Amino acid sequence: MKLRATIIFVFVVLLGFFGFEVTAQNTYQTPPKSIADLINAPSTPSVRFSKNGDWMILMERSDNPSIEVLSEPELKIAGMRINPATSGPSRQIGVENIKIKKTQSGEEIQILGLPAQPNMGDFRFSHDEKYMVFTQTDSDGISLWLVDLSSNSARKLTDKIVNDVYGNSVLWTPDNKLLVKAVNPTRGAFPIRPAAPAGPIIQETTGDAAPSRTYQDLLENPYDETLFAYFMDSQLMEVGLDGNKKSIGSAGMIKSIDLSPDGNYIMVDLIKKPFSYLVPANRFPYDVEIWTKAGEKVKALAQIPLDENRPTGFDATVTGPRNISWRADKPAVLYWVEAQDGGDARVDMKEREIVYTLAAPFAGTKQKLATSSYRFAGIDWSDDSFAIMSERWSRSRKDIRSVINPSNPSQAKQVIIERSSDDLYNDPGDPVMVENEFGENVLLRKGDLVYMTSPGGSPEGNMPYLSTFNSKTQEEKIIWRSQAPYYERVAKVLNDDASEFITIKESTDIQPNYWLVNTKKRIAPQQLTNFDNPSESIKGIQKQLVTYKRNDGLTLSAVIYTPEGFEPGKDAPLPVLMWAYPREYKSKEVAAQVRGSQYAFTRVNYGSPLFWVTRGYAIMDRTEMPIVGEGDKEPNDYFIDQLVANAEAAIDEIVDLGIGDRSRIAVGGHSYGAFMTANLLSHTNLFAAGIARSGAYNRTLTPFGFQYEQRTYWEAPEVYFNMSPFSFAHKVETPILLIHGQADNNSGTFPIQSERYYNALKGHGATARLVFLPNESHGYSAKESINHMLWEMDTWLEKYVKSKNELEKVK
């Protein structure tokens, strides 16, 4: 009788733990109230400042859309996702309200006359800042609206003519007119799918190697080609402030438009056939033409071929002109770069790239401006005597910046910064940019001094600063620096000597707000905004940045959150959720650097693990998982060993601190973090459970490289096999929850990755659960999807982590 009662008790307890499997459901669920309150908190407005900073635009964004919005018709073609009803991107969730806020007085002014059902985007100020224009997306098209900033009122400027399928669609001219990429008025009716195919779908290769990463949503048949051409069909129009419009140039498949600084010329990129079934639209062939502002073609600058046959490796590129742009400091001068190595990074050349220029009226020959030993990465312009050119090399993480003299191309460039792009502690930052007379961004400098903003990496975490950088001596002089216990960074410099500027200031439990700072006047900083704390319910949680050692001596770091009032050593150790994302490095010294800030505001977004601090968990967030391969060694040659060592060190740290219960630790991550999670569960029994969202688990499905792996499957098959959790599904003994957006369009993370991995786990008797979120991409958007994801994660953690000890007692 006693034995029977015990059996009944065990059965009832097990039903309590496993009931959600017994009563399977197929409807969206809602997480516990403490989690739901955080995810449903209102968003903070985004901000745009005027040139001199005396006023700002506050843009209040809409909440997450419903699943009904995400379920609207969507075309997935040529790597794009189009709403066929609007000729714009699908899932367009925009701004729902706009206000003007005066910087000095703090006065807020509501913009009147906004659309009745606002879904606004693409905000652009006129050069004189008298007007602002924005797009309004309705269910059947995209219109253009104008805000008069003198009366703070908005009005509809055009009908639903905007074609926002690809690239930019609206530009201001210097004389306060608008250049608009419109739907071609004569493009005709929507193409009807043929009742039957005209023939088979054929692709053929004739010996030229065409390695390509795994892209989603590519063209698949002639009908897709027709649809692509239909939605790309555009007509450039000039629109006045009165709404009158006139056509500019000929209609075509306009990829992008760019106006010369003086407004006299338009650079137009026009996509042409042949299209490709192997690569997305950004690699289709196109012509680059220069038009007058009236639409007359004055120069056929370049014919860019189909980009299917690029060499392998992240440092590979295309042949011919690329990065074609206007010089920001000149009325109408073009510049671009051409690879001299055939785009092949394996070719050893001193002058790997050449930068050329061509001035209006574009009748002469191109002029050599500068050369690059690595891949050209852009130019920050100042004037005829000074510009900063950037070069980068992915394989070695090389980052080089040099001063060039545009008026004397034969003068040797002067290297002013040479560092690893991963090296935070020696990052002088990026130049401060200001608008010139053309409304273009140029360097803020005084002679040899360039003003810079840096993230301020240090062993204590990021402490951002504003500085002058001497381009002759390479010496920094810090003007201002963030001070603990705050995390503060410069948002906008307001004057020529950078003594007055606007910052974003925050701390662990103080919501980010904008402040006016003056380093010369003896006045206290002035708070400009007073946004509410959207995470008030977790204001009292505790946060600490910890550093610890891996078994090979490498310093690691993480940020640990514990519930309000928790005292290590006094209170019982907590269940733990460890969240991470692995990163590859070429130097142990750089890999050991502390990243992030312990003083940053604790804001919870849908992908954050911080929800579970409200449920009694300790959270180990931004847990560093460095994978290091020095010299000729590649990081991924040591991926599993170093990943396991990272996890062991993190677990030891949180346990030794008296915070975590070693037997109740879960690990999780999104994308590459999901890949990490599955690998840790394949090769260790360190964790009580795992959560993997939107990951890739079989690397043979990404055979031409992934993440920072540049070798192909055929060059390193053992790496692809050993790094694939799919290969070791038979070794997983830890419960794993797989969540994936069913419409994931991220390169490499096809939904089939989770489906096949789950089947492998199931076939070997693992404890696993697979959740597909309908109509969701790589990141999740719908309220229902996000709430359900949080419910799934909470249920999994409660069952397999928090309740693990009780389960083991029952067993």
Side-chain angles (χ1 to χ4, degrees), residues 106-121:
E107 179 189 8
E108 283 191 9
I109 304 168
Q110 174 64 52
I111 298 293
L112 302 176
L114 295 175
Q117 294 181 311
N119 185 6
M120 302 176 286

Side-chain angles (χ1 to χ4, degrees), residues 16 117 165 234 325 422-423 429 475 557 645 657:
Q117 294 181 311
V165 165
S234 305
S325 305
D422 292 331
D423 185 359
E475 293 178 347
S557 64
L657 289 172

